[in-house]
Amino acid sequence: MALSRNNDQETVERINRVEIYPNPAVEALYFTISRPAVEARVLDLTGKTHNILRPQAFNEVSLAGFAPGVYVLQVRYRDGLQSHHKFVVAN
């Protein structure tokens, strides 16, 4: 992937666009990914994996059993790159 120096971060964010909603979430988290991904994981802030999603399960994560707090949706793309997106689980 070739990126110009001045726009590297903006270009990477556009290519790796992930929309998460609602945030904060209560029962479920919905998300869309702008390019092909091979895996998505829900991590807590200690790095512990709480859920692993395969492409056929992308778009929704049930939050049943999740304690309130801050979590990270980690998306791994086909080219090996990853993006990380914070979200909040509320009561």
Side-chain angles (χ1 to χ4, degrees):
M1 170 181 349
L3 302 174
S4 66
R5 275 193 188 272
N6 294 336
N7 296 319
D8 283 356
Q9 186 62 33
E10 179 182 327
T11 302
V12 168
E13 287 174 5
R14 188 176 68 246
I15 290 171
N16 295 334
R17 181 127 178 101
V18 175
E19 294 183 28
I20 296 175
Y21 53 94
N23 193 7
V26 176
E27 295 177 7
L29 179 74
Y30 301 92
F31 60 97
T32 59
I33 301 172
S34 66
R35 67 186 187 112
V38 295
E39 182 180 85
R41 293 176 179 248
V42 176
L43 312 170
D44 63 23
L45 293 182
T46 68
K48 178 182 175 187
T49 299
H50 289 268
N51 204 334
I52 299 174
L53 304 166
R54 303 292 180 220
Q56 63 274 16
F58 285 175
N59 299 327
E60 181 179 356
V61 177
S62 170
L63 300 176
F66 279 66
V70 178
Y71 293 84
V72 175
L73 179 68
Q74 176 189 64
V75 180
R76 187 167 53 95
Y77 301 97
R78 287 184 183 162
D79 60 7
L81 294 177
Q82 296 181 6
S83 62
H84 299 83
H85 313 274
K86 288 184 184 176
F87 67 95
V88 174
V89 174
N91 293 357

